[in-house]
PDB file of all heavy atoms in Angstrom:
ATOM      1  N   GLU A  29       3.519 -21.997   0.370  1.00 97.00           N
ATOM      2  CA  GLU A  29       3.205 -23.248  -0.255  1.00 97.00           C
ATOM      3  C   GLU A  29       1.851 -23.015  -0.992  1.00 97.00           C
ATOM      4  O   GLU A  29       1.071 -22.128  -0.501  1.00 97.00           O
ATOM      5  CB  GLU A  29       2.941 -24.267   0.892  1.00 97.00           C
ATOM      6  CG  GLU A  29       4.113 -24.796   1.621  1.00 97.00           C
ATOM      7  CD  GLU A  29       3.707 -25.370   2.866  1.00 97.00           C
ATOM      8  OE1 GLU A  29       2.521 -25.499   3.228  1.00 97.00           O
ATOM      9  OE2 GLU A  29       4.771 -25.907   3.538  1.00 97.00           O
ATOM     10  N   ILE A  46     -19.300  -9.468 -19.323  1.00 98.00           N
ATOM     11  CA  ILE A  46     -20.003  -8.242 -19.599  1.00 98.00           C
ATOM     12  C   ILE A  46     -21.267  -8.373 -20.371  1.00 98.00           C
ATOM     13  O   ILE A  46     -22.273  -7.774 -19.987  1.00 98.00           O
ATOM     14  CB  ILE A  46     -19.034  -7.233 -20.284  1.00 98.00           C
ATOM     15  CG1 ILE A  46     -17.821  -6.955 -19.443  1.00 98.00           C
ATOM     16  CG2 ILE A  46     -19.735  -5.961 -20.714  1.00 98.00           C
ATOM     17  CD1 ILE A  46     -16.695  -6.084 -20.081  1.00 98.00           C
ATOM     18  N   GLU A  47     -21.336  -9.388 -21.312  1.00 98.00           N
ATOM     19  CA  GLU A  47     -22.501  -9.613 -22.083  1.00 98.00           C
ATOM     20  C   GLU A  47     -23.599 -10.158 -21.048  1.00 98.00           C
ATOM     21  O   GLU A  47     -24.782  -9.674 -21.239  1.00 98.00           O
ATOM     22  CB  GLU A  47     -22.248 -10.760 -23.115  1.00 98.00           C
ATOM     23  CG  GLU A  47     -21.619 -10.114 -24.450  1.00 98.00           C
ATOM     24  CD  GLU A  47     -20.904 -11.259 -25.210  1.00 98.00           C
ATOM     25  OE1 GLU A  47     -21.246 -12.377 -25.136  1.00 98.00           O
ATOM     26  OE2 GLU A  47     -19.889 -10.893 -25.869  1.00 98.00           O
ATOM     27  N   ARG A  72     -24.825 -15.885   5.630  1.00 98.00           N
ATOM     28  CA  ARG A  72     -24.139 -17.077   5.100  1.00 98.00           C
ATOM     29  C   ARG A  72     -22.720 -16.975   5.418  1.00 98.00           C
ATOM     30  O   ARG A  72     -22.090 -17.923   5.775  1.00 98.00           O
ATOM     31  CB  ARG A  72     -24.409 -17.313   3.653  1.00 98.00           C
ATOM     32  CG  ARG A  72     -25.767 -17.868   3.299  1.00 98.00           C
ATOM     33  CD  ARG A  72     -26.132 -17.901   1.841  1.00 98.00           C
ATOM     34  NE  ARG A  72     -27.493 -18.208   1.714  1.00 98.00           N
ATOM     35  CZ  ARG A  72     -28.003 -19.479   1.893  1.00 98.00           C
ATOM     36  NH1 ARG A  72     -27.278 -20.468   1.972  1.00 98.00           N
ATOM     37  NH2 ARG A  72     -29.243 -19.629   1.771  1.00 98.00           N
ATOM     38  N   GLY A  89      -1.853 -13.642   4.614  1.00 98.00           N
ATOM     39  CA  GLY A  89      -0.756 -13.580   5.696  1.00 98.00           C
ATOM     40  C   GLY A  89      -1.149 -12.772   6.834  1.00 98.00           C
ATOM     41  O   GLY A  89      -0.413 -12.569   7.756  1.00 98.00           O
ATOM     42  N   SER A 109     -25.761  -2.177   3.066  1.00 99.00           N
ATOM     43  CA  SER A 109     -26.115  -2.018   1.690  1.00 99.00           C
ATOM     44  C   SER A 109     -27.604  -2.487   1.461  1.00 99.00           C
ATOM     45  O   SER A 109     -28.320  -1.819   0.727  1.00 99.00           O
ATOM     46  CB  SER A 109     -25.257  -2.904   0.718  1.00 99.00           C
ATOM     47  OG  SER A 109     -23.934  -2.587   0.943  1.00 99.00           O
ATOM     48  N   GLY A 118     -35.411   9.624  -5.403  1.00 97.00           N
ATOM     49  CA  GLY A 118     -34.983  10.848  -6.142  1.00 97.00           C
ATOM     50  C   GLY A 118     -35.563  11.976  -5.367  1.00 97.00           C
ATOM     51  O   GLY A 118     -35.658  12.004  -4.168  1.00 97.00           O
ATOM     52  N   PRO A 126     -42.316  32.043 -15.132  1.00 90.00           N
ATOM     53  CA  PRO A 126     -43.283  32.133 -16.161  1.00 90.00           C
ATOM     54  C   PRO A 126     -43.219  30.864 -17.103  1.00 90.00           C
ATOM     55  O   PRO A 126     -42.173  30.447 -17.496  1.00 90.00           O
ATOM     56  CB  PRO A 126     -42.814  33.369 -17.044  1.00 90.00           C
ATOM     57  CG  PRO A 126     -42.042  34.124 -16.029  1.00 90.00           C
ATOM     58  CD  PRO A 126     -41.309  33.222 -15.116  1.00 90.00           C
ATOM     59  N   ARG A 137     -34.088   7.680  -9.112  1.00 98.00           N
ATOM     60  CA  ARG A 137     -32.752   7.127  -9.293  1.00 98.00           C
ATOM     61  C   ARG A 137     -32.760   5.813  -9.848  1.00 98.00           C
ATOM     62  O   ARG A 137     -33.403   4.919  -9.329  1.00 98.00           O
ATOM     63  CB  ARG A 137     -31.903   7.258  -8.019  1.00 98.00           C
ATOM     64  CG  ARG A 137     -31.764   8.639  -7.512  1.00 98.00           C
ATOM     65  CD  ARG A 137     -30.463   8.810  -6.651  1.00 98.00           C
ATOM     66  NE  ARG A 137     -29.249   8.900  -7.349  1.00 98.00           N
ATOM     67  CZ  ARG A 137     -28.680   9.937  -7.934  1.00 98.00           C
ATOM     68  NH1 ARG A 137     -29.259  11.147  -7.757  1.00 98.00           N
ATOM     69  NH2 ARG A 137     -27.520   9.812  -8.613  1.00 98.00           N
ATOM     70  N   PHE A 149      -5.361  -6.628  -2.866  1.00 98.00           N
ATOM     71  CA  PHE A 149      -5.061  -7.842  -2.020  1.00 98.00           C
ATOM     72  C   PHE A 149      -5.273  -7.551  -0.558  1.00 98.00           C
ATOM     73  O   PHE A 149      -5.555  -8.359   0.271  1.00 98.00           O
ATOM     74  CB  PHE A 149      -3.693  -8.267  -2.221  1.00 98.00           C
ATOM     75  CG  PHE A 149      -2.570  -7.477  -1.545  1.00 98.00           C
ATOM     76  CD1 PHE A 149      -2.348  -7.647  -0.245  1.00 98.00           C
ATOM     77  CD2 PHE A 149      -1.868  -6.509  -2.236  1.00 98.00           C
ATOM     78  CE1 PHE A 149      -1.398  -6.985   0.481  1.00 98.00           C
ATOM     79  CE2 PHE A 149      -0.890  -5.750  -1.568  1.00 98.00           C
ATOM     80  CZ  PHE A 149      -0.673  -5.915  -0.238  1.00 98.00           C
ATOM     81  N   THR A 155     -13.181  -4.831   1.199  1.00 98.00           N
ATOM     82  CA  THR A 155     -13.227  -3.927  -0.110  1.00 98.00           C
ATOM     83  C   THR A 155     -14.149  -4.511  -1.148  1.00 98.00           C
ATOM     84  O   THR A 155     -14.952  -3.719  -1.765  1.00 98.00           O
ATOM     85  CB  THR A 155     -11.820  -3.878  -0.707  1.00 98.00           C
ATOM     86  OG1 THR A 155     -11.003  -3.385   0.291  1.00 98.00           O
ATOM     87  CG2 THR A 155     -11.745  -2.897  -1.793  1.00 98.00           C
ATOM     88  N   VAL A 156     -14.277  -5.886  -1.226  1.00 98.00           N
ATOM     89  CA  VAL A 156     -15.131  -6.497  -2.143  1.00 98.00           C
ATOM     90  C   VAL A 156     -16.647  -6.093  -1.684  1.00 98.00           C
ATOM     91  O   VAL A 156     -17.432  -5.729  -2.475  1.00 98.00           O
ATOM     92  CB  VAL A 156     -14.933  -8.002  -2.238  1.00 98.00           C
ATOM     93  CG1 VAL A 156     -16.148  -8.732  -2.795  1.00 98.00           C
ATOM     94  CG2 VAL A 156     -13.661  -8.291  -3.006  1.00 98.00           C
ATOM     95  N   VAL A 160     -19.278  -4.575  -4.148  1.00 99.00           N
ATOM     96  CA  VAL A 160     -20.416  -5.386  -4.634  1.00 99.00           C
ATOM     97  C   VAL A 160     -21.732  -5.005  -3.821  1.00 99.00           C
ATOM     98  O   VAL A 160     -22.793  -5.066  -4.398  1.00 99.00           O
ATOM     99  CB  VAL A 160     -20.057  -6.937  -4.449  1.00 99.00           C
ATOM    100  CG1 VAL A 160     -21.285  -7.842  -4.891  1.00 99.00           C
ATOM    101  CG2 VAL A 160     -18.822  -7.246  -5.323  1.00 99.00           C
ATOM    102  N   SER A 181     -10.988 -15.228  -0.900  1.00 98.00           N
ATOM    103  CA  SER A 181     -12.012 -14.386  -0.086  1.00 98.00           C
ATOM    104  C   SER A 181     -13.116 -14.034  -1.094  1.00 98.00           C
ATOM    105  O   SER A 181     -14.309 -14.003  -0.761  1.00 98.00           O
ATOM    106  CB  SER A 181     -11.372 -13.304   0.467  1.00 98.00           C
ATOM    107  OG  SER A 181     -10.401 -13.642   1.423  1.00 98.00           O
ATOM    108  N   GLN A 187     -19.738 -17.167  -3.657  1.00 97.00           N
ATOM    109  CA  GLN A 187     -20.561 -18.363  -3.348  1.00 97.00           C
ATOM    110  C   GLN A 187     -21.813 -18.054  -2.399  1.00 97.00           C
ATOM    111  O   GLN A 187     -22.786 -18.529  -2.574  1.00 97.00           O
ATOM    112  CB  GLN A 187     -19.558 -19.386  -2.639  1.00 97.00           C
ATOM    113  CG  GLN A 187     -20.282 -20.688  -2.308  1.00 97.00           C
ATOM    114  CD  GLN A 187     -20.887 -21.506  -3.389  1.00 97.00           C
ATOM    115  OE1 GLN A 187     -20.574 -21.255  -4.575  1.00 97.00           O
ATOM    116  NE2 GLN A 187     -21.632 -22.604  -3.071  1.00 97.00           N
ATOM    117  N   HIS A 190     -24.373 -16.742  -4.536  1.00 97.00           N
ATOM    118  CA  HIS A 190     -24.932 -17.871  -5.399  1.00 97.00           C
ATOM    119  C   HIS A 190     -25.988 -18.641  -4.511  1.00 97.00           C
ATOM    120  O   HIS A 190     -27.091 -18.835  -4.937  1.00 97.00           O
ATOM    121  CB  HIS A 190     -23.765 -18.773  -5.798  1.00 97.00           C
ATOM    122  CG  HIS A 190     -24.245 -19.974  -6.579  1.00 97.00           C
ATOM    123  ND1 HIS A 190     -24.635 -19.909  -7.852  1.00 97.00           N
ATOM    124  CD2 HIS A 190     -24.181 -21.281  -6.226  1.00 97.00           C
ATOM    125  CE1 HIS A 190     -24.951 -21.137  -8.306  1.00 97.00           C
ATOM    126  NE2 HIS A 190     -24.663 -21.973  -7.310  1.00 97.00           N
ATOM    127  N   PHE A 224     -12.764   0.964  -8.332  1.00 98.00           N
ATOM    128  CA  PHE A 224     -11.496   0.464  -8.122  1.00 98.00           C
ATOM    129  C   PHE A 224     -10.774   0.809  -6.853  1.00 98.00           C
ATOM    130  O   PHE A 224     -10.775   2.017  -6.470  1.00 98.00           O
ATOM    131  CB  PHE A 224     -10.589   0.910  -9.294  1.00 98.00           C
ATOM    132  CG  PHE A 224      -9.102   0.596  -9.195  1.00 98.00           C
ATOM    133  CD1 PHE A 224      -8.663  -0.619  -9.552  1.00 98.00           C
ATOM    134  CD2 PHE A 224      -8.162   1.595  -8.759  1.00 98.00           C
ATOM    135  CE1 PHE A 224      -7.308  -0.947  -9.432  1.00 98.00           C
ATOM    136  CE2 PHE A 224      -6.865   1.243  -8.617  1.00 98.00           C
ATOM    137  CZ  PHE A 224      -6.401  -0.060  -8.971  1.00 98.00           C
ATOM    138  N   VAL A 230      -2.132   2.077 -11.050  1.00 98.00           N
ATOM    139  CA  VAL A 230      -3.194   1.308 -11.831  1.00 98.00           C
ATOM    140  C   VAL A 230      -4.378   2.213 -11.889  1.00 98.00           C
ATOM    141  O   VAL A 230      -5.085   2.265 -12.980  1.00 98.00           O
ATOM    142  CB  VAL A 230      -3.399  -0.010 -11.182  1.00 98.00           C
ATOM    143  CG1 VAL A 230      -4.538  -0.749 -11.828  1.00 98.00           C
ATOM    144  CG2 VAL A 230      -2.170  -0.943 -11.210  1.00 98.00           C
ATOM    145  N   SER A 235      -8.395   5.135 -15.074  1.00 97.00           N
ATOM    146  CA  SER A 235      -8.979   6.499 -15.367  1.00 97.00           C
ATOM    147  C   SER A 235      -8.865   6.847 -16.786  1.00 97.00           C
ATOM    148  O   SER A 235      -9.783   7.354 -17.471  1.00 97.00           O
ATOM    149  CB  SER A 235      -8.386   7.539 -14.452  1.00 97.00           C
ATOM    150  OG  SER A 235      -8.987   8.745 -14.602  1.00 97.00           O
ATOM    151  N   ALA A 271      -2.379   1.033  14.595  1.00 98.00           N
ATOM    152  CA  ALA A 271      -2.742   1.300  13.280  1.00 98.00           C
ATOM    153  C   ALA A 271      -1.463   1.347  12.269  1.00 98.00           C
ATOM    154  O   ALA A 271      -1.613   1.425  11.095  1.00 98.00           O
ATOM    155  CB  ALA A 271      -3.479   2.656  13.284  1.00 98.00           C
ATOM    156  N   ILE A 323       2.834  -9.496   1.611  1.00 98.00           N
ATOM    157  CA  ILE A 323       2.085 -10.202   0.608  1.00 98.00           C
ATOM    158  C   ILE A 323       3.034 -11.012  -0.288  1.00 98.00           C
ATOM    159  O   ILE A 323       2.683 -11.942  -0.926  1.00 98.00           O
ATOM    160  CB  ILE A 323       1.240  -9.220  -0.224  1.00 98.00           C
ATOM    161  CG1 ILE A 323       0.237 -10.100  -1.109  1.00 98.00           C
ATOM    162  CG2 ILE A 323       1.972  -8.264  -1.070  1.00 98.00           C
ATOM    163  CD1 ILE A 323      -0.858 -10.823  -0.356  1.00 98.00           C
ATOM    164  N   ARG A 339      17.729   4.459   7.631  1.00 97.00           N
ATOM    165  CA  ARG A 339      18.623   4.185   8.821  1.00 97.00           C
ATOM    166  C   ARG A 339      19.831   5.195   8.624  1.00 97.00           C
ATOM    167  O   ARG A 339      20.329   5.681   9.709  1.00 97.00           O
ATOM    168  CB  ARG A 339      19.125   2.880   8.808  1.00 97.00           C
ATOM    169  CG  ARG A 339      18.407   1.876   9.828  1.00 97.00           C
ATOM    170  CD  ARG A 339      19.161   0.555   9.617  1.00 97.00           C
ATOM    171  NE  ARG A 339      18.241  -0.489   9.889  1.00 97.00           N
ATOM    172  CZ  ARG A 339      17.884  -0.862  11.175  1.00 97.00           C
ATOM    173  NH1 ARG A 339      18.382  -0.225  12.112  1.00 97.00           N
ATOM    174  NH2 ARG A 339      16.948  -1.768  11.380  1.00 97.00           N
ATOM    175  N   ALA A 356      10.127  -7.446  10.578  1.00 98.00           N
ATOM    176  CA  ALA A 356       9.827  -6.997  11.935  1.00 98.00           C
ATOM    177  C   ALA A 356       9.403  -5.616  11.954  1.00 98.00           C
ATOM    178  O   ALA A 356       9.977  -4.805  11.140  1.00 98.00           O
ATOM    179  CB  ALA A 356      11.124  -7.179  12.849  1.00 98.00           C
ATOM    180  N   VAL A 361      13.108   7.274  13.642  1.00 98.00           N
ATOM    181  CA  VAL A 361      12.911   8.691  14.179  1.00 98.00           C
ATOM    182  C   VAL A 361      13.786   9.591  13.398  1.00 98.00           C
ATOM    183  O   VAL A 361      14.898   9.377  13.110  1.00 98.00           O
ATOM    184  CB  VAL A 361      13.357   8.761  15.646  1.00 98.00           C
ATOM    185  CG1 VAL A 361      13.110  10.062  16.245  1.00 98.00           C
ATOM    186  CG2 VAL A 361      12.610   7.630  16.504  1.00 98.00           C
ATOM    187  N   ARG A 371       8.314   9.998   1.881  1.00 97.00           N
ATOM    188  CA  ARG A 371       7.739  10.558   0.589  1.00 97.00           C
ATOM    189  C   ARG A 371       6.768   9.592  -0.031  1.00 97.00           C
ATOM    190  O   ARG A 371       5.749   9.991  -0.529  1.00 97.00           O
ATOM    191  CB  ARG A 371       8.877  10.879  -0.189  1.00 97.00           C
ATOM    192  CG  ARG A 371       8.673  11.976  -1.275  1.00 97.00           C
ATOM    193  CD  ARG A 371       9.833  12.045  -2.236  1.00 97.00           C
ATOM    194  NE  ARG A 371      10.119  10.683  -2.809  1.00 97.00           N
ATOM    195  CZ  ARG A 371      11.415  10.247  -3.039  1.00 97.00           C
ATOM    196  NH1 ARG A 371      12.393  11.151  -2.833  1.00 97.00           N
ATOM    197  NH2 ARG A 371      11.595   9.075  -3.554  1.00 97.00           N
ATOM    198  N   ARG A 415      -8.868  24.451  13.205  1.00 98.00           N
ATOM    199  CA  ARG A 415      -7.903  25.128  12.206  1.00 98.00           C
ATOM    200  C   ARG A 415      -7.332  24.221  11.356  1.00 98.00           C
ATOM    201  O   ARG A 415      -7.124  24.357  10.212  1.00 98.00           O
ATOM    202  CB  ARG A 415      -6.883  25.898  13.051  1.00 98.00           C
ATOM    203  CG  ARG A 415      -7.213  27.329  13.425  1.00 98.00           C
ATOM    204  CD  ARG A 415      -5.975  28.089  13.831  1.00 98.00           C
ATOM    205  NE  ARG A 415      -5.171  27.527  14.859  1.00 98.00           N
ATOM    206  CZ  ARG A 415      -5.407  27.631  16.198  1.00 98.00           C
ATOM    207  NH1 ARG A 415      -6.478  28.297  16.602  1.00 98.00           N
ATOM    208  NH2 ARG A 415      -4.661  26.946  17.070  1.00 98.00           N
TER     209      ARG A 415
END
Side-chain angles (χ1 to χ4, degrees):
E29 289 166 358
I46 296 173
E47 279 158 28
R72 283 173 193 279
S109 300
R137 296 205 75 89
F149 77 83
T155 307
V156 163
V160 174
S181 298
Q187 178 64 10
H190 179 70
F224 170 78
V230 175
S235 186
I323 193 68
R339 261 180 207 282
V361 183
R371 202 188 52 214
R415 267 198 309 277

